[in-house]
């Protein structure tokens, strides 16, 4: 099989199940760690993550998020949110496409970071623009 220098090619349908499994495993691992640290209450965090996945652009404070924010560290919350959002993209067929330019993110980058939202170029620009991982509130 020839190796090309093309930086990114679109994912094929048969590559998606592996990412679904990887994301599920990441989430399970994260929740297990939280469970270990907090001694329970993970089902609530899980439920809140599902809520977030359905409204990932809405950073307005909801009751679920307020509750979650006292349960989880900000970083854990961001990680769970990233995983849930990636699972949502898998479900709606946009997984592997850069959120900014629509180009394929590329298999190597996704394998290294399955929750990647942008291609490497856009991610770099985004971080320079915002100085943080998440977009500011509108
Ligand atoms: Zn891009």
């Amino acid at each position: 099989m020839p190796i090309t220098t093309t930086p990114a090619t679109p994912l094929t349908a048969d590559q998606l199940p592996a990412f679904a499994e990887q994301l599920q495993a990441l989430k399970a691992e994260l929740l297990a760690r939280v469970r270990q640290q907090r001694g329970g209450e993970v089902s609530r965090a899980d439920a809140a993550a599902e809520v977030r996945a359905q409204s990932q652009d809405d950073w307005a404070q909801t009751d679920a998020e307020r509750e979650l924010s006292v349960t989880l560290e900000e970083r854990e919350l961001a990680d769970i949110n990233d995983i849930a959002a990636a699972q949502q993209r898998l479900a709606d067929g946009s997984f592997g496409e850069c959120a900014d330019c629509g180009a394929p993110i590329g298999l190597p980058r996704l394998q290294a970071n399955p929750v990647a939202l942008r291609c490497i170029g856009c991610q770099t620009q985004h971080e320079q623009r915002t100085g943080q991982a998440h977009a500011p509130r509108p």
Side-chain angles (χ1 to χ4, degrees):
M1 189 165 129
I3 309 277
T4 71
T5 53
T6 307
T9 51
L11 298 181
T12 58
D14 64 339
Q15 289 170 324
L16 297 180
F19 283 109
E21 279 177 32
Q22 201 179 346
L23 288 167
Q24 196 60 47
L26 274 175
K27 188 168 163 183
E29 190 185 297
L30 185 64
L31 291 174
R33 198 162 67 224
V34 171
R35 186 184 294 119
Q36 208 172 28
Q37 286 168 355
R38 307 303 159 97
E41 299 302 318
V42 174
S43 59
R44 193 173 59 179
D46 210 4
E50 297 300 325
V51 169
R52 175 61 72 77
Q54 286 160 20
S55 58
Q56 51 185 290
D57 291 328
D58 182 10
W59 274 88
Q61 284 267 320
T62 64
D63 287 345
E65 285 179 16
R66 251 196 304 275
E67 226 177 297
L68 188 61
S69 69
V70 297
T71 309
L72 299 175
E73 299 292 344
E74 206 168 307
R75 200 180 113 74
E76 291 163 340
L77 175 61
D79 285 349
I80 287 178
N81 182 37
D82 285 349
I83 293 167
Q87 287 177 321
Q88 183 62 36
R89 292 197 297 278
L90 264 178
D92 70 19
S94 64
F95 185 82
E97 289 173 14
C98 174
D100 285 1
C101 71
I105 292 172
L107 191 59
R109 177 163 161 75
L110 285 168
Q111 283 173 334
N113 179 17
V115 303
L117 185 57
R118 296 175 179 85
C119 70
I120 190 73
C122 290
Q123 183 63 36
T124 303
Q125 281 181 16
H126 177 76
E127 283 170 9
Q128 284 169 351
R129 205 163 53 233
T130 64
Q132 59 184 10
H134 287 284
R137 294 175 196 190

